[in-house]
């Protein structure tokens, strides 16, 4: 997508723009992977304005924590958090150790990069259902997550388009 | 959105699911805020399968770096990275210091949380165009970003639906 393509598509969009009403917001936070095969709007029936969407490699709840803190403690979101990991995820095919090696190989002679990348947890997914459960547990047990927040954990199947819930729990709070 | 609503919407979606072809992918990475008022698909004319979407509070390229490393060094993405910040962003209304205070206030007596949150950069946005330019510069200068990657920086206006490009540069590499 070139700059021109973005500008042209956006010009058409803006020509019929209706500013979304804040009352559209359904008080829900979605965490998913960045993978192009995931479209949370279509796959979960979410419309414009209805949800907060956090997306990163793997759909890591750990990396999402800063955003969740902002949503809950600054924006005032009190609703559920739904964490989705998906089958055939890139993060299931590369370990943290392998990612570190790949980055080091791409930055030869940069000892500063090597030292830094050795401190990065790339959030490898070994078993998908276990990784979902671990992320749910991470949020449930984390004292910065509002007490009583409903946390659900899901798997999305990129071959069938289907979601399945694998875990549900309530945050214990501080 | 309840579990039942997700399952029902997804059942309808999966009933007419067509597995996306990998050739749909347009070799582009989009970084935006998690805000419900942002829908990169509609606002940029992107369709299912065409782009990698990274979303977090503010649209921080710094927090997106792990995901970008995975996309470039493990998945093999070589195309441009487009970073979008938006007007009226929650991250422009709360500073890192204020976020730390809010989290501490919500976790009374938890000195461990206080100590941890004092190390978190919440990526406050002081001036939107400057924050976009700072994120572009962060990626352009970062040795882990592939040399030659085109980085563009944009502002999205939530009142008009319009995007405007504020910066463009090429990553220098390691």
């Amino acid at each position: 997508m070139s700059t021109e393509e973005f500008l042209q598509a956006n010009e058409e969009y803006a020509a019929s723009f209706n500013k979304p009403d804040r009352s559209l917001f359904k008080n829900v936070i979605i965490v998913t992977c960045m993978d192009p095969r995931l479209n949370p709007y279509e796959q979960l029936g979410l419309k414009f304005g209805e949800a907060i969407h956090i997306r990163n490699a793997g759909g890591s709840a750990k990396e999402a924590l800063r955003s969740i803190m902002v949503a809950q403690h600054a924006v005032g979101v009190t609703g559920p958090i739904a964490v989705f990991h998906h089958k055939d995820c890139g993060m299931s095919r590369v370990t943290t150790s392998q990612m570190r090696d790949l980055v080091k190989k791409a930055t030869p002679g940069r000892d500063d990069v090597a030292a830094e990348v050795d401190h990065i947890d790339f959030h490898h997914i070994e078993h998908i259902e276990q990784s979902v459960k671990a992320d749910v547990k991470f949020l449930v047990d984390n004292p910065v997550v509002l007490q009583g927040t409903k946390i659900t954990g899901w798997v999305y199947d990129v071959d069938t388009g289907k979601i399945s819930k694998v875990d549900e729990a309530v945050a214990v709070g501080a």
Side-chain angles (χ1 to χ4, degrees), chain A residues 11-24:
Chain A
E11 198 176 335
E12 290 172 26
Y13 173 79
S16 59
F17 180 72
N18 287 311
K19 193 177 169 184
D21 195 293
R22 278 183 192 271
S23 67
L24 293 176

Side-chain angles (χ1 to χ4, degrees), chain A residues 27 29 68 72-73 77-82 136 139-152 168-174:
Chain A
N27 203 21
I29 299 172
I68 290 169
Q72 291 195 327
H73 299 291
V77 177
T78 54
I81 303 172
V136 169
L139 294 178
V140 164
D141 291 343
N142 201 302
V144 307
V145 176
L146 282 181
Q147 187 178 24
T149 305
K150 186 172 157 186
I151 318 283
T152 53
E168 177 174 334
V170 172
V172 297

Side-chain angles (χ1 to χ4, degrees), chain A residues 98-114:
Chain A
Q98 287 168 336
M99 267 307 304
R100 289 172 179 168
D101 288 345
L102 286 167
V103 175
K104 287 176 198 172
K105 203 171 289 178
T107 55
R110 291 293 301 251
D111 295 343
D112 54 337
V113 173

Side-chain angles (χ1 to χ4, degrees), chain A residues 56-77:
Chain A
N56 61 49
S60 165
K62 291 191 185 79
E63 188 169 284
L65 191 63
R66 177 190 65 92
S67 297
I68 290 169
M69 283 190 269
V70 170
Q72 291 195 327
H73 299 291
V75 181
V77 177

Side-chain angles (χ1 to χ4, degrees), chain A residues 7 41 84 94 108 113 142:
Chain A
L7 287 170
Y41 295 96
F84 291 80
V94 65
V113 173
N142 201 302

Side-chain angles (χ1 to χ4, degrees), chain A residues 13-169:
Chain A
Y13 173 79
S16 59
F17 180 72
N18 287 311
K19 193 177 169 184
D21 195 293
R22 278 183 192 271
S23 67
L24 293 176
F25 183 54
K26 289 198 170 176
N27 203 21
V28 62
I29 299 172
I30 311 291
V31 182
T32 78
C33 185
M34 65 182 181
D35 192 297
R37 294 168 295 174
L38 269 66
N39 180 336
Y41 295 96
E42 292 182 2
Q43 287 149 4
L44 303 176
L46 287 164
K47 295 187 196 75
F48 183 45
E50 292 189 340
I52 285 175
H53 292 255
I54 302 168
R55 301 185 64 168
N56 61 49
S60 165
K62 291 191 185 79
E63 188 169 284
L65 191 63
R66 177 190 65 92
S67 297
I68 290 169
M69 283 190 269
V70 170
Q72 291 195 327
H73 299 291
V75 181
V77 177
T78 54
I81 303 172
V83 179
F84 291 80
H85 294 179
H86 69 95
K87 291 189 183 175
D88 192 41
C89 183
M91 291 319 303
S92 66
R93 290 194 296 272
V94 65
T95 65
T96 285
S97 167
Q98 287 168 336
M99 267 307 304
R100 289 172 179 168
D101 288 345
L102 286 167
V103 175
K104 287 176 198 172
K105 203 171 289 178
T107 55
R110 291 293 301 251
D111 295 343
D112 54 337
V113 173
E116 209 168 316
V117 83
D118 276 342
H119 287 97
I120 299 175
D121 182 350
F122 280 91
H123 305 307
H124 170 60
I125 292 174
E126 193 171 350
H127 302 289
I128 183 160
E129 297 204 351
Q130 284 173 28
S131 77
V132 171
K133 287 179 183 176
D135 262 10
V136 169
K137 186 171 165 47
F138 170 79
L139 294 178
V140 164
D141 291 343
N142 201 302
V144 307
V145 176
L146 282 181
Q147 187 178 24
T149 305
K150 186 172 157 186
I151 318 283
T152 53
W154 304 74
V155 168
Y156 175 73
D157 186 330
V158 291
D159 289 321
T160 64
K162 287 186 182 162
I163 58 170
S164 51
K165 194 168 75 170
V166 296
D167 206 2
E168 177 174 334

